[in-house]
Amino acid sequence: MMRVLRCCLLCVLASMAFGTARAAEAPFALTAEYMTDPVGIDVPRPRLAWKLGFHERGAVQRAWQVQVAAAPDAFGSAPLWDSGRVDTADSVHVPYGGPLLAPGQRVYWRVRAWNGADAVSPWSVPAYFEAGLVRPAEWRARWITADPVAAKSAPGPAMLLRRQFRLDRPVVRARLYITSLGVYEAQVNGRQVTDQVLRPGWTSYDKRLHYQTYDVTGHLKQGDNAIGAMLGDGWYRGGIGFNGRDHYGTRRALLAELRVTHADGTATRIVTDDRWRASTGAVLSSDLLQGETYDARLEQPGWAAPGFGDQAWRTVAVLDHPKDALAGQAAPGVRRIMEVRPQRILRTPQGDTVFDFGQNMAGWVRLAVRGPAGTTIRLRHAEVLDKDGNFYTANLRTAAQTHRYTLKGGPGETWEPRFTFQGFRYVAVDGFPGRPGLEALTAIVLHSDLGVPNRWESSHPLLNRLVRNTEWGQRGNFLEVPTDCPQRNERLGWTGDVQVFARTATYNFGSAAFLAKWMDDLAADQKADGSIPFVIPDIVSRKKASIDGAAGWSDAVTVVPWVIYQAYGDRAILARHYGSMKAWVDHVARRAPDGVWNTGFQFGDWLAYQAPAHEARDYPGATTGKDLVATAYFARSADLLARSAAVLGKDSDARHYAALAARVRLAFNREFVTASGRVGENTQTAYALALRFDLLPAEQRAAAARRLAGAVAARKDHLSTGFLGTPALLFALGDHGQIETAWRLLTRETYPSWLYPVKQGATTIWERWDGIRPDGGFQDAAMNSFNHYAYGAVVEWMYAVAAGIDTDPAAPGYRRSIVRPRPGGGLTWVDAAVETPYGRLAARWDLRGGTMRLAVAVPPNTRSTVVLPGAVLEELSLDGEVPPGARQTGNDVTLRIGAGHYLFTYPWRPATPGAAPDGAGDRAAVAAALPK
Ligand code: RAM
């Protein structure tokens, strides 16, 4: 449980005025490998982190001390490890330094910290972490199944597996280690073992299969006990993607090991083996894409409890399947995150009864019904209604997203599906006994647990809704793996989508563990020649030894670790994936020996705006050359690799790849930039990529940004970019002297623009700029998802520039931050906050009556460079004075501050239009102001 310590600005100012420093409070929000009290992790030296309860301005941590013990009350008497006082400022990513944990061992830890005045805090509340089984050889359990040997599987009932056993001594500790081929739901003595769903989740199963560890001590008793598991098809053998089913195998199987410790110190193990029994029950079929069919009359009450008569159940087969891919789950699981009530029930012109939940989301519904046994209710799911108000499912392609529930009869029944999820806002109900009321359905939002979202709010309601829509896009698509969409027969970990969205994801929610888990899948599925499949986990090219890999998609291998490093300061992620990054860049270098990458398959600037024929004269085609896009990304990946090598101290690699990046940049200029500065096809994307990836010589950048602004003006302030150009567009403008154009684009409401879908009532981000056309018609049903987050990548700019919150790239993870808002677009205020590894970094600016007020909260143990836009040094006030150390930097004032709360006030003196410093000067001023 995270404790949030914040005091109001006034109390901080008051305590400073009276010289009373609030005593240092204990560190809080203790985590191991980003998780609170993780159980069953296979990381030998988990990295610990804590937040500091220091309140004074400029608070830093001078030293820390960690103690580790076997019990939360044993720190004093029998510590397993005591670090003693360690004089470093590190409070995140601190490697556990105690004795290595034995399989299944739990340790408790606590921490205290010394502040800058050398006052020590109280000890934190203890936290813990617990090792998993660590080595595959630890498992005594065997894979069991009741599925027949088959070349192809068919959709069929969920498998029930059970085993009854006796414990003749009292139980003091019990852990269930469990995983499956297919998805499972497990019970001990009739009680669920977890609130996570769709376990064991989705990984690149052949190479990495997560198992889960559950503390089931409270589930067991002396005497007769039972364990039961239900298995569905899931990602393993059910439908996912567009290529049918059986992606990993045809036989579902369970692997479970219950380890019990008794009061007398002895142990009992119950493992999956040939003593288990199998049956089927009410789940007649269940598929991620198709939905679930459930006949409640076929339930077997008590099937996972002791005393149940399983004589009629079948024996199981022991399956010869390896265990060497097993790995403890090191990422947040999928949970029921929230419930959404329906807003209304409508009757469509075609006669459907449709529940409208008011929000497009991923999850499922809970049904509450009373009626005669044998009645079957059908629930269909859709994202949108068509222009006539009818239920629209054509864009789901072959994903039926349909449940059928047959009542058992009686006093009222409630039901939720188990081994499926839907992308939907609307649910069509038929077969309901009587007229359903609003209470009949409740939507349940499912996704990998990312905690609470950060904050971005402003005076512009449509922009606020745009940010909410990207948060919903992330909720709907951060379900085990970062997917493109949660509804049609796809739902795949498309590398390009997360590549462009990753930084936004880290602004919206804490995403480190989720993305790091996926990077392990990506590394596992990388081909021997360094190429990276288009989707991860790779179910599309899994059987191929090599594939091409495409620019902007495969580059996820360099970009995503770099984003995690930037947002969370996680150097280990770079070390872990350095080999993969390098193999990819080397692969591209072989495909593009002279630096211009013009070979093989490319997606290019996927789904860029394309002008309809009748507009072609005013709006020439926006298509940017695939070779230009690919070469730009080649330079980008080589550059990120060089930077990563430098971070890791691999100096000769750093030089080698910096030189490669420089060569590719030269090649880009040679091939795509004319002497007078035109880039490629003169498209927005061409300039956006060239500027955002620093591909142009310094003296050409401002002119390129002017041309880009011209390309925007030529479209009457509309964008024309696709998946790859879009995230770069506003940065390319704003960083190079064209911030007004950036703001105009962001606040544009007509098609194509970010706010056009918002105006159309979108509650998520659409795959296409014109998913719903101005005339109410739809884009091509073959590719028209209404929950596809790629274009939502603009939120990165909204946090980093509009609100002005970013990490200093030289001290990533917000160890040093930059607060540099750049007001515009007619907004009168923006208020944003990001939960950084050190605590909450917040900035709020508002402009009233010509006065600018900027409130900043900087978390303890960090520093911030604040750039106050449109400020004159002598007119600036902090606590009634011109802050010491502040400097005039062009049209801004720049200063460095430590932790604490600050309120800056000054008369707003924006640069006169046209007199804005040109791009190069603008950037140079900020670069010069940053600490070295
Ligand atoms: C479609 C989706 C996905 C994209 C690929 C290339 O399947 O739009 O988001 O990454 O194409």
Side-chain angles (χ1 to χ4, degrees):
M1 178 60 124
M2 188 156 68
R3 232 175 2 129
V4 181
L5 291 176
R6 253 182 299 160
C7 42
C8 75
L9 192 67
L10 283 180
C11 73
V12 175
L13 297 181
S15 73
M16 294 209 14
F18 294 106
T20 54
R22 280 179 63 192
E25 290 177 29
F28 63 102
L30 278 62
T31 57
E33 291 298 321
Y34 296 106
M35 289 175 286
T36 305
D37 298 337
V39 171
I41 52 172
D42 285 354
V43 183
R45 295 215 173 275
R47 292 164 304 155
L48 310 179
W50 53 88
K51 289 175 184 164
L52 293 159
F54 298 156
H55 304 292
E56 68 277 11
R57 266 200 188 160
V60 291
Q61 174 191 275
R62 179 178 278 190
W64 54 267
Q65 181 179 9
V66 166
Q67 288 183 336
V68 171
D73 54 4
F75 293 109
S77 50
L80 293 173
W81 182 63
D82 188 334
S83 70
R85 174 175 164 143
V86 180
D87 278 85
T88 79
D90 298 342
S91 55
V92 303
H93 306 307
V94 176
Y96 162 68
L100 284 185
L101 268 49
Q105 187 183 352
R106 173 183 293 194
V107 292
Y108 292 81
W109 66 287
R110 63 178 187 174
V111 57
R112 61 178 179 172
W114 284 261
N115 69 8
D118 223 22
V120 67
S121 76
W123 286 103
S124 70
V125 171
Y128 59 83
F129 54 92
E130 182 177 313
L133 290 187
V134 186
R135 287 179 294 272
E138 272 288 317
W139 290 79
R140 225 184 269 160
R142 306 177 71 186
W143 288 104
I144 56 169
T145 184
D147 281 334
V149 181
K152 275 182 165 208
S153 74
M159 186 191 301
L160 302 186
L161 296 160
R162 73 171 251 121
R163 161 111 153 79
Q164 183 159 330
F165 54 95
R166 212 180 148 69
L167 297 172
D168 49 18
R169 282 151 295 157
V171 173
V172 291
R173 173 190 154 116
R175 294 289 183 274
L176 176 63
Y177 302 94
I178 181 168
T179 186
S180 58
L181 309 178
V183 279
Y184 73 83
E185 191 186 274
Q187 301 179 24
V188 170
N189 291 338
R191 260 176 67 201
Q192 302 286 342
V193 300
T194 179
D195 62 354
Q196 298 180 53
V197 301
L198 294 165
R199 294 304 82 205
W202 190 15
T203 47
S204 299
Y205 288 140
D206 301 332
K207 297 137 191 163
R208 298 173 3 88
L209 173 57
H210 276 167
Y211 68 87
Q212 285 76 35
T213 305
Y214 304 118
D215 181 347
V216 292
T217 315
H219 288 63
L220 293 172
K221 56 185 181 1
Q222 194 172 343
D224 288 330
N225 293 273
I227 174 168
M230 195 185 295
L231 286 190
D233 296 353
W235 294 276
Y236 184 82
R237 78 160 197 185
I240 191 73
F242 35 71
N243 286 336
R245 42 190 287 125
D246 294 332
H247 291 288
Y248 295 93
T250 58
R251 298 175 88 190
R252 298 162 299 181
L254 181 72
L255 185 76
E257 179 150 342
L258 177 67
R259 294 191 175 191
V260 182
T261 312
H262 299 284
D264 61 4
T266 57
T268 303
R269 277 198 215 192
I270 306 295
V271 302
T272 42
D273 57 19
D274 58 9
R275 280 178 286 181
W276 288 55
R277 316 272 300 168
S279 183
T280 57
V283 180
L284 294 180
S285 72
S286 193
D287 184 273
L288 293 171
L289 304 176
Q290 307 308 333
E292 200 153 296
T293 300
Y294 190 94
D295 187 340
R297 295 170 303 180
L298 300 177
E299 285 170 357
Q300 301 203 44
W303 68 275
F308 176 82
D310 60 15
Q311 300 78 2
W313 285 37
R314 286 173 292 145
T315 55
V316 297
V318 169
L319 189 72
D320 184 21
H321 186 86
K323 290 182 229 166
D324 50 7
L326 297 175
Q329 176 178 320
V334 177
R335 290 198 162 82
R336 296 172 177 83
I337 302 292
M338 61 175 122
E339 300 195 347
V340 180
R341 301 290 314 153
Q343 293 185 345
R344 56 187 179 137
I345 302 174
L346 37 108
R347 186 112 178 130
T348 68
Q350 286 176 350
D352 287 318
T353 299
V354 172
F355 282 62
D356 176 5
F357 289 92
Q359 174 62 54
N360 197 13
M361 65 189 122
W364 60 45
V365 289
R366 183 171 60 231
L367 168 69
V369 60
R370 186 188 174 134
T375 313
T376 296
I377 300 170
R378 190 170 65 136
L379 303 173
R380 293 177 297 140
H381 301 72
E383 295 186 288
V384 287
L385 304 179
D386 70 14
K387 65 174 170 209
D388 302 321
N390 286 314
F391 197 70
Y392 180 78
T393 56
N395 70 324
L396 306 177
R397 305 194 308 218
T398 65
Q401 297 210 125
T402 299
H403 306 318
R404 286 182 184 78
Y405 178 82
T406 302
L407 278 71
K408 60 187 167 206
E413 34 205 295
T414 60
W415 173 78
E416 285 179 32
R418 286 184 171 77
F419 301 132
T420 183
F421 65 91
Q422 286 67 51
F424 68 101
R425 167 175 168 170
Y426 299 95
V427 178
V429 180
D430 52 78
F432 198 91
R435 255 176 98 103
L438 285 171
E439 68 293 342
L441 293 184
T442 305
I444 300 187
V445 178
L446 303 175
H447 59 84
S448 296
D449 196 348
L450 304 168
V452 292
N454 285 318
R455 181 173 78 228
W456 195 100
E457 294 287 348
S458 75
S459 57
H460 197 301
L462 295 177
L463 290 180
N464 298 344
R465 184 66 230 191
L466 176 64
V467 178
R468 299 296 88 76
N469 289 1
T470 68
E471 291 166 3
W472 276 103
Q474 188 165 348
R475 289 192 183 99
N477 286 293
F478 271 33
L479 197 155
E480 273 303 308
V481 309
T483 53
D484 61 331
C485 60
Q487 75 297 82
R488 69 185 179 210
N489 61 328
E490 193 141 353
R491 311 184 187 189
L492 297 175
W494 279 98
T495 45
D497 303 46
V498 66
Q499 186 272 120
V500 297
F501 190 73
R503 183 64 175 117
T504 291
T506 63
Y507 273 122
N508 280 342
F509 291 93
S511 302
F514 177 87
L515 291 172
K517 174 255 171 214
W518 182 77
M519 275 307 303
D520 283 343
D521 293 320
L522 183 145
D525 281 342
Q526 184 170 26
K527 305 288 181 190
D529 66 356
S531 59
I532 310 273
F534 302 142
V535 302
I536 300 291
D538 180 19
I539 59 161
V540 173
S541 61
R542 189 168 149 260
K543 305 240 161 71
K544 294 190 182 145
S546 168
I547 56 147
D548 278 353
W553 269 253
S554 304
D555 294 293
V557 69
T558 54
V559 173
V560 175
W562 186 254
V563 165
I564 299 174
Y565 174 62
Q566 287 298 316
Y568 305 104
D570 190 340
R571 200 169 163 272
I573 194 96
L574 294 181
R576 191 172 175 87
H577 296 295
Y578 185 76
S580 289
M581 298 161 86
K582 187 168 158 166
W584 165 246
V585 171
D586 289 346
H587 173 87
V588 179
R590 288 192 296 276
R591 283 171 62 185
D594 67 354
V596 174
W597 183 8
N598 53 12
T599 52
F601 173 81
Q602 296 292 349
F603 292 108
D605 189 26
W606 185 246
L607 303 188
Y609 170 77
Q610 272 173 329
H614 69 272
E615 282 179 7
R617 223 158 50 89
D618 291 342
Y619 288 73
T623 315
T624 308
K626 290 180 178 174
D627 50 357
L628 182 151
V629 170
T631 305
Y633 262 95
F634 181 17
R636 174 72 173 153
S637 271
D639 179 58
L640 291 183
L641 179 59
R643 288 167 197 262
S644 303
V647 170
L648 299 173
K650 298 174 187 293
D651 297 339
S652 80
D653 270 16
R655 282 192 300 277
H656 173 79
Y657 290 105
L660 174 64
R663 276 203 307 282
V664 180
R665 255 179 245 128
L666 278 179
F668 181 92
N669 282 277
R670 210 171 50 232
E671 186 82 7
F672 304 111
V673 186
T674 67
S676 57
R678 178 191 157 106
V679 180
E681 294 79 4
N682 214 28
T683 55
Q684 294 178 13
T685 291
Y687 292 106
L689 293 181
L691 287 166
R692 181 71 171 141
F693 294 168
D694 266 332
L695 304 181
L696 302 176
E699 63 281 6
Q700 279 186 28
R701 291 177 196 151
R706 280 194 295 274
R707 282 178 180 260
L708 172 54
V712 172
R715 292 185 161 73
K716 301 194 176 72
D717 294 336
H718 292 94
L719 47 72
S720 66
T721 46
F723 272 33
L724 300 184
T726 299
L729 188 54
L730 299 190
F731 285 101
L733 290 162
D735 287 352
H736 299 280
Q738 303 294 335
I739 187 94
E740 292 85 1
T741 305
W743 273 110
R744 274 202 301 279
L745 269 177
L746 180 65
T747 50
R748 202 74 169 114
E749 296 176 14
T750 42
Y751 167 75
S753 68
W754 282 285
L755 293 185
Y756 166 74
V758 176
K759 289 282 276 191
Q760 294 281 314
T763 60
T764 37
I765 303 295
W766 297 349
E767 179 176 24
R768 316 295 293 258
W769 291 120
D770 57 348
I772 299 174
R773 299 200 154 126
D775 68 2
F778 289 125
Q779 248 289 359
D780 180 4
M783 222 169 60
N784 197 22
S785 148
F786 292 98
N787 198 354
H788 230 79
Y789 53 48
Y791 290 144
V794 68
V795 165
E796 174 183 357
W797 192 86
M798 295 171 75
Y799 270 96
V801 182
I805 295 179
D806 206 345
T807 184
D808 177 346
Y814 301 89
R815 185 65 191 268
R816 285 201 307 253
S817 58
I818 298 172
V819 174
R820 188 197 179 206
R822 307 200 56 200
L827 276 67
T828 54
W829 58 270
V830 175
D831 182 4
V834 171
E835 192 61 40
T836 77
Y838 301 89
R840 182 156 278 234
L841 172 66
R844 181 197 159 100
W845 60 261
D846 68 66
L847 255 174
R848 239 177 287 156
T851 298
M852 169 66 107
R853 304 192 324 154
L854 175 67
V856 180
V858 179
N861 214 18
T862 72
R863 299 180 58 75
S864 190
T865 301
V866 178
V867 184
L868 299 152
V872 172
L873 183 61
E874 295 72 30
E875 296 174 342
L876 175 64
S877 161
L878 168 70
D879 310 328
E881 288 172 18
V882 176
R887 294 190 288 139
Q888 190 76 43
T889 43
N891 201 38
D892 307 326
V893 169
T894 301
L895 78 163
R896 290 179 211 163
I897 56 177
H901 290 64
Y902 302 81
L903 177 63
F904 301 97
T905 314
Y906 57 93
W908 167 241
R909 307 211 184 279
T912 30
D918 87 355
D922 206 15
R923 287 184 120 199
V926 175
L930 293 177
K932 296 287 166 300

